[in-house]
């Protein structure tokens, strides 16, 4: 899990460095990081990451977009 966590965090750092931290690609990284946290049993961190992904996707696509279903799953 550590390699996955490092990769997703690096992706988020790059997004932030390029002013893309609130873009859909960043939402996918937050979502993936949330899944890793969930599999590790760190539910508080998972919830935080999944909420961030949900906020970004809602901003871009509205409340009815398919990507939101992944966060609610």
């Amino acid at each position: 899990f550590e390699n996955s966590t490092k990769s997703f965090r690096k992706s988020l750092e790059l997004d932030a460095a390029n002013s893309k931290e609130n873009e859909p690609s960043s939402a996918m990284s937050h979502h993936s990081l949330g899944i890793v946290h969930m599999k590790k049993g760190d539910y508080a961190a998972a919830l935080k990451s999944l909420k961030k992904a949900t906020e970004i996707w809602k901003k871009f696509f509205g409340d009815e977009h398919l990507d939101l279903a992944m966060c609610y799953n």
Side-chain angles (χ1 to χ4, degrees), residues 26-36 49-50 53 57 70-71:
S26 183
M28 184 57 79
S29 293
H30 282 289
H31 178 263
S32 298
L33 186 58
I35 297 301
V36 171
S49 292
L50 293 171
W57 277 322
M70 290 189 298
C71 289

Side-chain angles (χ1 to χ4, degrees), residues 7-21:
S7 294
F8 295 130
R9 288 191 190 281
K10 181 65 175 176
S11 176
L12 291 169
E13 287 174 17
L14 291 171
D15 284 345
N18 291 293
S19 298
K20 295 185 179 207
E21 64 268 12

Side-chain angles (χ1 to χ4, degrees):
F1 292 120
E2 288 308 311
N3 286 339
S4 297
T5 302
K6 286 179 187 177
S7 294
F8 295 130
R9 288 191 190 281
K10 181 65 175 176
S11 176
L12 291 169
E13 287 174 17
L14 291 171
D15 284 345
N18 291 293
S19 298
K20 295 185 179 207
E21 64 268 12
N22 290 310
E23 298 283 331
S25 62
S26 183
M28 184 57 79
S29 293
H30 282 289
H31 178 263
S32 298
L33 186 58
I35 297 301
V36 171
H37 287 309
M38 191 167 45
K39 289 185 180 216
K40 288 173 36 179
D42 187 350
Y43 300 113
L47 185 60
K48 181 179 176 183
S49 292
L50 293 171
K51 280 185 176 183
K52 182 65 177 176
T54 302
E55 290 171 11
I56 295 169
W57 277 322
K58 278 186 177 184
K59 176 184 167 191
F60 268 83
F61 303 120
D63 291 332
E64 300 297 321
H65 196 268
L66 181 60
D67 286 347
L68 286 173
M70 290 189 298
C71 289
Y72 295 136
N73 219 354

